[in-house]
PDB file of all heavy atoms in Angstrom:
ATOM      1  N   GLY A  40     -36.932  17.807  15.783  1.00 31.00           N
ATOM      2  CA  GLY A  40     -35.756  17.521  14.979  1.00 31.00           C
ATOM      3  C   GLY A  40     -34.726  18.627  14.951  1.00 31.00           C
ATOM      4  O   GLY A  40     -33.663  18.481  14.333  1.00 31.00           O
ATOM      5  N   ASP A  41     -34.990  19.781  15.575  1.00 36.00           N
ATOM      6  CA  ASP A  41     -34.019  20.867  15.547  1.00 36.00           C
ATOM      7  C   ASP A  41     -32.727  20.456  16.243  1.00 36.00           C
ATOM      8  O   ASP A  41     -32.712  19.668  17.182  1.00 36.00           O
ATOM      9  CB  ASP A  41     -34.587  22.099  16.257  1.00 36.00           C
ATOM     10  CG  ASP A  41     -35.638  22.800  15.407  1.00 36.00           C
ATOM     11  OD1 ASP A  41     -35.759  22.440  14.221  1.00 36.00           O
ATOM     12  OD2 ASP A  41     -36.329  23.682  15.945  1.00 36.00           O
ATOM     13  N   SER A  42     -31.650  21.025  15.802  1.00 37.00           N
ATOM     14  CA  SER A  42     -30.369  20.728  16.440  1.00 37.00           C
ATOM     15  C   SER A  42     -30.307  21.371  17.811  1.00 37.00           C
ATOM     16  O   SER A  42     -30.867  22.440  18.041  1.00 37.00           O
ATOM     17  CB  SER A  42     -29.229  21.261  15.573  1.00 37.00           C
ATOM     18  OG  SER A  42     -29.371  22.656  15.393  1.00 37.00           O
ATOM     19  N   PRO A  43     -29.670  20.703  18.783  1.00 39.00           N
ATOM     20  CA  PRO A  43     -29.631  21.226  20.153  1.00 39.00           C
ATOM     21  C   PRO A  43     -28.776  22.468  20.253  1.00 39.00           C
ATOM     22  O   PRO A  43     -27.938  22.753  19.410  1.00 39.00           O
ATOM     23  CB  PRO A  43     -29.032  20.055  20.946  1.00 39.00           C
ATOM     24  CG  PRO A  43     -28.221  19.303  19.949  1.00 39.00           C
ATOM     25  CD  PRO A  43     -28.961  19.430  18.649  1.00 39.00           C
ATOM     26  N   GLY A  44     -28.982  23.195  21.341  1.00 45.00           N
ATOM     27  CA  GLY A  44     -28.173  24.377  21.603  1.00 45.00           C
ATOM     28  C   GLY A  44     -29.019  25.537  22.041  1.00 45.00           C
ATOM     29  O   GLY A  44     -30.231  25.516  21.953  1.00 45.00           O
ATOM     30  N   SER A  45     -28.375  26.570  22.525  1.00 46.00           N
ATOM     31  CA  SER A  45     -29.095  27.701  23.085  1.00 46.00           C
ATOM     32  C   SER A  45     -29.936  28.422  22.050  1.00 46.00           C
ATOM     33  O   SER A  45     -31.007  28.942  22.362  1.00 46.00           O
ATOM     34  CB  SER A  45     -28.109  28.676  23.731  1.00 46.00           C
ATOM     35  OG  SER A  45     -27.175  29.135  22.770  1.00 46.00           O
ATOM     36  N   ALA A  46     -29.489  28.486  20.802  1.00 44.00           N
ATOM     37  CA  ALA A  46     -30.266  29.181  19.773  1.00 44.00           C
ATOM     38  C   ALA A  46     -31.587  28.477  19.533  1.00 44.00           C
ATOM     39  O   ALA A  46     -32.632  29.107  19.368  1.00 44.00           O
ATOM     40  CB  ALA A  46     -29.464  29.257  18.476  1.00 44.00           C
ATOM     41  N   ALA A  47     -31.561  27.126  19.513  1.00 45.00           N
ATOM     42  CA  ALA A  47     -32.791  26.371  19.311  1.00 45.00           C
ATOM     43  C   ALA A  47     -33.711  26.511  20.505  1.00 45.00           C
ATOM     44  O   ALA A  47     -34.925  26.674  20.369  1.00 45.00           O
ATOM     45  CB  ALA A  47     -32.468  24.894  19.062  1.00 45.00           C
ATOM     46  N   ILE A  48     -33.155  26.431  21.706  1.00 49.00           N
ATOM     47  CA  ILE A  48     -33.964  26.538  22.905  1.00 49.00           C
ATOM     48  C   ILE A  48     -34.657  27.887  22.977  1.00 49.00           C
ATOM     49  O   ILE A  48     -35.790  28.007  23.408  1.00 49.00           O
ATOM     50  CB  ILE A  48     -33.094  26.338  24.161  1.00 49.00           C
ATOM     51  CG1 ILE A  48     -32.815  24.853  24.353  1.00 49.00           C
ATOM     52  CG2 ILE A  48     -33.783  26.872  25.398  1.00 49.00           C
ATOM     53  CD1 ILE A  48     -34.019  24.030  24.674  1.00 49.00           C
ATOM     54  N   SER A  49     -33.994  28.928  22.537  1.00 45.00           N
ATOM     55  CA  SER A  49     -34.577  30.262  22.672  1.00 45.00           C
ATOM     56  C   SER A  49     -35.876  30.409  21.911  1.00 45.00           C
ATOM     57  O   SER A  49     -36.667  31.301  22.189  1.00 45.00           O
ATOM     58  CB  SER A  49     -33.575  31.325  22.197  1.00 45.00           C
ATOM     59  OG  SER A  49     -33.359  31.211  20.794  1.00 45.00           O
ATOM     60  N   SER A  50     -36.118  29.512  20.940  1.00 43.00           N
ATOM     61  CA  SER A  50     -37.338  29.637  20.146  1.00 43.00           C
ATOM     62  C   SER A  50     -38.587  29.258  20.918  1.00 43.00           C
ATOM     63  O   SER A  50     -39.686  29.509  20.459  1.00 43.00           O
ATOM     64  CB  SER A  50     -37.234  28.769  18.890  1.00 43.00           C
ATOM     65  OG  SER A  50     -37.235  27.396  19.215  1.00 43.00           O
ATOM     66  N   VAL A  51     -38.459  28.621  22.092  1.00 50.00           N
ATOM     67  CA  VAL A  51     -39.640  28.275  22.869  1.00 50.00           C
ATOM     68  C   VAL A  51     -39.813  29.190  24.074  1.00 50.00           C
ATOM     69  O   VAL A  51     -40.694  28.992  24.889  1.00 50.00           O
ATOM     70  CB  VAL A  51     -39.589  26.805  23.364  1.00 50.00           C
ATOM     71  CG1 VAL A  51     -39.608  25.865  22.185  1.00 50.00           C
ATOM     72  CG2 VAL A  51     -38.383  26.572  24.257  1.00 50.00           C
ATOM     73  N   LEU A  52     -38.961  30.165  24.213  1.00 49.00           N
ATOM     74  CA  LEU A  52     -38.972  30.983  25.416  1.00 49.00           C
ATOM     75  C   LEU A  52     -39.566  32.353  25.177  1.00 49.00           C
ATOM     76  O   LEU A  52     -39.538  32.891  24.080  1.00 49.00           O
ATOM     77  CB  LEU A  52     -37.540  31.174  25.940  1.00 49.00           C
ATOM     78  CG  LEU A  52     -36.753  29.899  26.233  1.00 49.00           C
ATOM     79  CD1 LEU A  52     -35.380  30.268  26.718  1.00 49.00           C
ATOM     80  CD2 LEU A  52     -37.489  29.049  27.237  1.00 49.00           C
ATOM     81  N   VAL A  53     -40.111  32.907  26.235  1.00 42.00           N
ATOM     82  CA  VAL A  53     -40.460  34.322  26.237  1.00 42.00           C
ATOM     83  C   VAL A  53     -39.251  35.039  26.805  1.00 42.00           C
ATOM     84  O   VAL A  53     -38.961  34.969  27.984  1.00 42.00           O
ATOM     85  CB  VAL A  53     -41.691  34.585  27.115  1.00 42.00           C
ATOM     86  CG1 VAL A  53     -41.970  36.069  27.191  1.00 42.00           C
ATOM     87  CG2 VAL A  53     -42.906  33.863  26.562  1.00 42.00           C
ATOM     88  N   SER A  54     -38.508  35.720  25.954  1.00 39.00           N
ATOM     89  CA  SER A  54     -37.264  36.329  26.399  1.00 39.00           C
ATOM     90  C   SER A  54     -37.407  37.809  26.719  1.00 39.00           C
ATOM     91  O   SER A  54     -36.487  38.421  27.239  1.00 39.00           O
ATOM     92  CB  SER A  54     -36.191  36.150  25.313  1.00 39.00           C
ATOM     93  OG  SER A  54     -36.630  36.740  24.099  1.00 39.00           O
ATOM     94  N   SER A  55     -38.566  38.380  26.428  1.00 42.00           N
ATOM     95  CA  SER A  55     -38.728  39.811  26.634  1.00 42.00           C
ATOM     96  C   SER A  55     -38.689  40.154  28.113  1.00 42.00           C
ATOM     97  O   SER A  55     -39.310  39.503  28.940  1.00 42.00           O
ATOM     98  CB  SER A  55     -40.053  40.277  26.043  1.00 42.00           C
ATOM     99  OG  SER A  55     -40.308  41.610  26.417  1.00 42.00           O
ATOM    100  N   THR A  56     -37.933  41.183  28.437  1.00 49.00           N
ATOM    101  CA  THR A  56     -37.884  41.640  29.830  1.00 49.00           C
ATOM    102  C   THR A  56     -39.178  42.319  30.247  1.00 49.00           C
ATOM    103  O   THR A  56     -39.337  42.696  31.403  1.00 49.00           O
ATOM    104  CB  THR A  56     -36.717  42.624  30.014  1.00 49.00           C
ATOM    105  OG1 THR A  56     -36.882  43.717  29.097  1.00 49.00           O
ATOM    106  CG2 THR A  56     -35.390  41.941  29.752  1.00 49.00           C
ATOM    107  N   GLN A  57     -40.104  42.488  29.302  1.00 66.00           N
ATOM    108  CA  GLN A  57     -41.375  43.117  29.654  1.00 66.00           C
ATOM    109  C   GLN A  57     -42.270  42.178  30.450  1.00 66.00           C
ATOM    110  O   GLN A  57     -43.190  42.623  31.130  1.00 66.00           O
ATOM    111  CB  GLN A  57     -42.087  43.583  28.383  1.00 66.00           C
ATOM    112  CG  GLN A  57     -41.348  44.689  27.647  1.00 66.00           C
ATOM    113  CD  GLN A  57     -42.001  45.039  26.330  1.00 66.00           C
ATOM    114  OE1 GLN A  57     -42.705  44.229  25.755  1.00 66.00           O
ATOM    115  NE2 GLN A  57     -41.776  46.249  25.871  1.00 66.00           N
TER     116      GLN A  57
END
Side-chain angles (χ1 to χ4, degrees):
D41 285 349
S42 59
S45 59
I48 282 294
S49 67
S50 68
V51 296
L52 304 179
V53 176
S54 58
S55 171
T56 57
Q57 295 174 336

